[in-house]
Amino acid sequence: MATANRVRHVWDGQNGLLSTIVVSIVIHERGGVGGSKASGAFILTDSYNPGRPNKDFEIKYHMKNSEPVPEAIIDKIFENTKTIIEYLIVEDLPNIDIITTGVANVLGSKGQFDDEVFNSATDYVKGLKFSIFDFELINKLLSSSEFIFFYDALHEVVGAYTHRIFVEELGL
């Protein structure tokens, strides 16, 4: 659908891992605020948010400031979806390798786009370290013998980032 609608650049999290919160950081870190690459992102997700048929899938849109759109805009997008009578799709695209990081130029009968596979944990940790948390201070706290730590990934894909953050970055 992306290439059929002339989208020129698609980002894929390596191995298909990319949580909604990571998408927000990726939009911000990769040029969303004042940058030229991302003006926003559509997120196809199995999110836990209610309100969709069978409660198993939804499409979100995050703006270039990496925040979800206001409810009024979501409602307008939803109303517009009710008027769709056809959609464009390209059926002859090659399989895309989402395991190997890098940029591939993908060509189909209706155009081409760049598919960038990136290690989303790298972008996530970068965003956490430089704009949200003081990892050095957290590491000192975690090193204390009197501090007991429990972690709950809340049944989300973000659990896949646990090893990277807590073992590689914080030394647990």
Side-chain angles (χ1 to χ4, degrees), residues 19 21 23 42 74 81 102 108 111 124 132 140 145 157:
S19 74
I21 189 65
V23 170
F42 283 100
I74 292 171
T81 66
Y124 187 48
I132 300 173
K140 286 179 186 177
S145 61
V157 70

Side-chain angles (χ1 to χ4, degrees), residues 52-135:
R52 60 202 182 281
N54 303 318
K55 298 187 177 14
D56 61 354
F57 184 77
E58 74 176 338
I59 299 172
K60 296 179 181 180
Y61 183 77
H62 279 223
M63 301 179 298
K64 66 181 177 182
N65 65 358
S66 73
E67 294 181 5
V69 295
E71 197 70 33
I73 295 174
I74 292 171
D75 292 342
K76 181 70 175 169
I77 291 170
F78 177 69
E79 288 303 315
N80 285 334
T81 66
K82 293 178 181 179
T83 66
I84 296 172
I85 55 173
E86 70 177 338
Y87 61 90
L88 303 174
I89 191 166
V90 175
E91 295 183 18
D92 66 340
L93 290 175
N95 287 332
I96 296 171
D97 174 9
I98 61 169
I99 296 171
T100 307
T101 59
V103 179
N105 185 268
V106 181
L107 180 61
S109 60
K110 294 190 179 183
Q112 64 183 20
F113 65 95
D114 292 329
D115 187 84
E116 182 177 350
V117 177
F118 66 99
N119 183 317
S120 58
T122 299
D123 284 46
Y124 187 48
V125 168
K126 179 182 174 188
L128 292 176
K129 285 174 87 169
F130 296 111
S131 60
I132 300 173
F133 296 108
D134 182 338
F135 271 48

Side-chain angles (χ1 to χ4, degrees), residues 154-167:
L154 300 174
H155 303 288
E156 226 189 88
V157 70
V158 79
Y161 301 101
T162 302
H163 186 271
R164 174 67 182 269
I165 294 168
F166 294 114
V167 175

Side-chain angles (χ1 to χ4, degrees), residues 15-35:
N15 298 312
L17 297 176
L18 196 55
S19 74
T20 301
I21 189 65
V22 175
V23 170
S24 292
I25 289 174
V26 167
I27 294 167
H28 191 272
E29 293 297 317
R30 289 175 171 251
V33 177

